[in-house]
Amino acid sequence: MGSVGLLYVGAVLIINGLMLLDVVPGKAAAAMNLFVGAMQVVFPTIILAQSEGDPEIILGASGLFLFGFTYLYVAWNVLTDAPGEGLGWFSLFVAACAVVYGTLNFTLVDDPLFGVIWFSWAVLWFMFFVLLGLGKVSIQRRTGWFTLFLGIFTGAVTSFLLLTQNYPTGDGAALIGAALAVGLFLLAWLLGAPNRVSVSRDKDPLNASA
């Protein structure tokens, strides 16, 4: 994923995390989802058109659509008051693809740290599936915190490391990244404990605060 695009993935994840935490209303978050979603569809389409069939370029661009369609889907649901089940099941597909991309970063691309990042996104999108596809609103705040944390660390921080040519490689960096991802997940799980907020079983997390 391009370092510039990754920066704005971080921004939209932070906004969506705050939306799930009921800090940012849904309709206020829709614009950023539209902007970043469109960017993550238009830019990889241009990259593919100019790739001249290079399989490495095609592989790198292909994953961007997963994010672009997710954010456009979020905006659609918020602006139309559509139910979240479709987005939830699409998120399961994204999670499965993220596992594949993560594995390829370990085996084919030789970038284990970004493999860890892909695996952390797989966990996050699986949480979206559980929250929206299965309607388990008890994990809404936990999902919100984890979304916020990954927006900061896998999005903004990683982007600036790439932009300043300070991005670490190697197994050591991957181990540190994995430890950080696990730590952030556990922190999100603690901060988002259901007894900290009363949540209606019928509440749609994308529309309740719109």
Side-chain angles (χ1 to χ4, degrees):
M1 179 177 296
S3 54
V4 175
L6 188 60
L7 179 63
Y8 293 99
V9 166
V12 77
L13 285 177
I14 290 170
I15 294 296
N16 288 345
L18 293 172
M19 177 177 65
L20 290 171
L21 292 170
D22 293 326
V23 175
V24 174
K27 284 188 170 60
M32 181 60 74
N33 280 275
L34 285 172
F35 297 152
V36 179
M39 181 180 72
Q40 298 287 57
V41 170
V42 172
F43 284 5
T45 300
I46 296 173
I47 292 171
L48 289 176
Q50 299 176 345
S51 68
E52 298 182 348
D54 187 319
E56 185 175 346
I57 295 176
I58 293 172
L59 176 63
S62 63
L64 300 178
F65 291 102
L66 297 172
F67 295 92
F69 291 147
T70 295
Y71 306 136
L72 291 176
Y73 212 147
V74 169
W76 170 267
N77 280 10
V78 169
L79 296 175
T80 66
D81 291 331
E85 288 85 352
L87 175 57
W89 284 94
F90 175 69
S91 296
L92 179 61
F93 174 78
V94 175
C97 290
V99 171
V100 176
Y101 281 107
T103 302
L104 290 174
N105 271 267
F106 275 98
T107 58
L108 182 64
V109 183
D110 194 25
D111 186 351
L113 177 56
F114 221 91
V116 169
I117 290 173
W118 272 109
F119 288 150
S120 68
W121 288 335
V123 173
L124 178 61
W125 260 256
F126 184 77
M127 293 177 76
F128 292 153
F129 162 67
V130 174
L131 173 63
L132 299 170
L134 301 183
K136 303 296 184 181
V137 295
S138 60
I139 71 163
Q140 178 179 333
R141 288 182 60 82
R142 286 168 167 163
T143 305
W145 279 113
F146 197 48
T147 304
L148 175 63
F149 292 153
L150 290 192
I152 295 170
F153 290 99
T154 68
V157 172
T158 302
S159 174
F160 279 116
L161 288 174
L162 288 165
L163 288 168
T164 58
Q165 300 183 357
N166 289 307
Y167 177 78
T169 59
D171 294 338
L175 287 173
I176 294 172
L180 177 61
V182 171
L184 293 174
F185 178 81
L186 294 175
L187 181 59
W189 202 260
L190 291 173
L191 290 174
N195 60 2
R196 291 175 177 266
V197 62
S198 59
V199 180
S200 168
R201 294 182 61 185
D202 298 323
K203 177 180 178 182
D204 187 326
L206 296 185
N207 295 323
S209 58

